[in-house]
Amino acid sequence: MVFQVLASFITVLAVLQVNRAAVTKRVTCPDGSMTANEACCVLFPVLEDIQQNLFDGGLCGEEAHESLRLTFHDAFGFSPALQAQGQFGGGGADGSVIVFEETEANFAANIGIDEIINAQKPFIARHNITPGDFVQFAGAVGAANCPGAPQLQFMLGRPMPVASSPDGLIPEPFDTVDSIIERFADAGNFTETEIIWLLTAHSIAAADEVDPTIPGTPFDSTPGIFDSQIFIEVQLRGTSFPGTGGNQGEVESPLRGELRLQSDSELARDSRTACEWQAFVDNVPRMQTLFSAAMSTLAVIGQDTSQMVDCSDVIPVPPPPQGTAHIPAGLSNADIEQACATAAFPSLPVDPGPATSVAPVPPA
Ligand code: HEM
């Protein structure tokens, strides 16, 4: 009897041990960090280095924005349509934008991208990480520095790229909505709706090259915060250009110091995408969930995920959202150009005070 009680006691203990292991199974890396998979340990020194020396102590500044943009420009160098014609379609999120910089940085759509490539290169050189992994890792870490951003998924294990991607695969801001839809469908099987999910990235963005006389001109009034102002402000009537005006890919914006891309403007007003655009207007949680979902696809375009390890837990947890959806001071709900045919644009509080003017994102 005593033996039986003892045996079942030991069984219960064993079950408890196994359960605990299932819940808390983590490895401790040489630097003391914890992660779910030992293979991810290599990332902690990279994380520390880029937070200090690339992102200026963990800021949502120019390099964080540029690093996020680079994830897109590397990944979109991929075209099953070209492959179907017997041509090389590119390797997707493979780091070719870095390794074959002499070619890819000269593509018209990649103008200005050399700046962040050159900033990233020394980090790749001093760590044990492939360029393809680094581009996506730095993009996810940079985004995580922005309050309100989601903690993006990060998969480790992209091999070295074999060749530069073909030209003509990165969307331009003066492309038609039809051609943008076609390109996103080809590159990642993205739907019209998912294009808008991905464009959430323009919440933390500015342009250096669209009007080169005014570098660092933001797309919304809060480029350092992952919030819904981009969706509100692109829907306001455009009234002036922030700089010289008349540049290819630029249309009038509603605020001094703000630049509006023609592509954002058209996607916000096209019947195929306007309602999805509007659905984000006062909904940061929706932005977080859907941006994250679409970025999980983008970050592994052209890659064999069965050979990769999920290291998402190395990406820092972003600071919580800041502020609430509002119409910038000086404008009103009447300035919204309603485009979604099936739902009314939400009525938003108007910021008090003098007309909003947006400051440039300072260079690093
Ligand atoms: C229709 C598709 C898109 C077009 C036409 C487009 C176009 C542009 C342009 C022209 C700029 C300004 C570049 C400069 O002058 O410095 C820009 C910036 C940016 N884009 Fe996009 N983009 C698109 C989609 C995306 C996607 C899917 C992402 C997701 C990662 C993204 C992330 C960014 C970011 C973060 C910036 C800011 C870079 C900075 O502040 O330095 N874009 N985009």
Side-chain angles (χ1 to χ4, degrees), residues 7 21 33 45 50 68 114 122-123 131-132 163 166 172 198 216 226 237 266 291-292 313-314 344 353 363:
S33 304
I50 62 176
L68 182 58
D114 54 322
F123 295 89
E172 295 268 25
L198 286 170
F226 188 91
R237 184 173 304 107
E266 289 182 4
F291 178 60
S292 188
D313 64 3
V314 180

Side-chain angles (χ1 to χ4, degrees), residues 2 40 60 131 138 153 169-170 175 189 222 246 252 295 327:
V2 172
C40 306
C60 176
Q153 184 184 59
L169 299 180
I170 311 299
D175 287 347
N189 225 356
T222 53
E252 287 182 326
M295 283 299 288
I327 302 283

Side-chain angles (χ1 to χ4, degrees), residues 29-336:
C29 302
D31 72 346
S33 304
M34 307 272 288
T35 175
N37 193 309
E38 204 178 347
C40 306
C41 287
V42 292
L43 294 169
F44 288 103
V46 188
L47 173 66
E48 200 185 324
D49 197 4
I50 62 176
Q51 285 292 48
Q52 287 317 312
N53 303 312
L54 180 63
F55 300 137
D56 309 318
L59 299 182
C60 176
E62 192 190 26
E63 287 83 4
H65 304 165
E66 286 182 345
S67 295
L68 182 58
R69 180 178 180 228
L70 195 64
T71 66
F72 168 53
H73 286 234
D74 193 30
F76 262 53
F78 187 71
S79 172
L82 281 181
Q83 276 165 25
Q85 294 165 20
Q87 298 174 44
F88 178 61
D94 62 352
S96 65
V97 78
I98 301 240
V99 175
F100 301 100
E101 183 201 358
E102 333 75 70
T103 308
E104 292 197 29
N106 289 317
F107 298 164
N110 281 342
I111 183 166
I113 215 99
D114 54 322
E115 198 181 306
I116 189 65
I117 292 175
N118 291 329
Q120 288 193 359
K121 270 183 171 172
F123 295 89
I124 300 170
R126 65 175 175 256
H127 291 285
N128 177 20
I129 186 165
T130 62
D133 280 341
F134 185 86
V135 167
Q136 299 302 326
F137 184 66
V141 173
N145 290 338
C146 305
Q151 185 187 25
L152 294 175
Q153 184 184 59
F154 175 70
M155 302 290 287
L156 179 76
R158 294 164 192 76
M160 287 299 283
V162 293
S164 85
S165 74
D167 196 1
L169 299 180
I170 311 299
E172 295 268 25
F174 46 84
D175 287 347
T176 62
V177 172
D178 280 353
S179 78
I180 290 172
I181 290 175
E182 200 181 313
R183 181 78 274 275
F184 274 73
D186 180 32
N189 225 356
F190 292 113
T191 61
E192 294 154 5
T193 311
E194 287 166 328
I195 297 173
I196 308 305
W197 301 359
L198 286 170
L199 278 173
T200 295
H202 283 178
S203 171
I204 41 175
D208 285 338
E209 307 290 344
V210 177
D211 181 344
T213 65
I214 45 165
T217 305
F219 295 161
D220 73 2
S221 56
T222 53
I225 306 172
F226 188 91
D227 64 8
S228 64
Q229 288 307 118
I230 182 76
F231 293 108
I232 298 164
E233 294 170 23
V234 171
Q235 207 76 64
L236 288 162
R237 184 173 304 107
T239 47
S240 64
F241 289 105
T244 58
N247 298 292
Q248 215 188 8
E250 179 189 15
V251 295
E252 287 182 326
S253 80
L255 300 176
R256 270 183 42 208
E258 181 171 288
L259 189 141
R260 180 181 293 173
L261 293 181
Q262 184 183 322
S263 46
D264 284 354
S265 184
E266 289 182 4
L267 286 159
R269 287 162 179 76
D270 190 280
S271 60
R272 290 163 287 183
T273 42
C275 292
E276 193 59 29
W277 189 278
Q278 184 178 291
F280 285 120
V281 154
D282 56 356
N283 201 336
V284 174
R286 185 184 168 92
M287 287 172 61
Q288 292 171 329
T289 308
L290 299 179
F291 178 60
S292 188
M295 283 299 288
S296 300
T297 304
L298 181 144
V300 294
I301 287 177
Q303 300 299 310
D304 178 359
T305 49
S306 72
Q307 302 300 310
M308 299 172 83
V309 178
D310 191 337
C311 294
S312 305
D313 64 3
V314 180
I315 305 298
V317 176
Q322 278 178 17
T324 47
H326 60 274
I327 302 283
L331 297 169
S332 77
N333 281 280
D335 294 308
I336 292 289

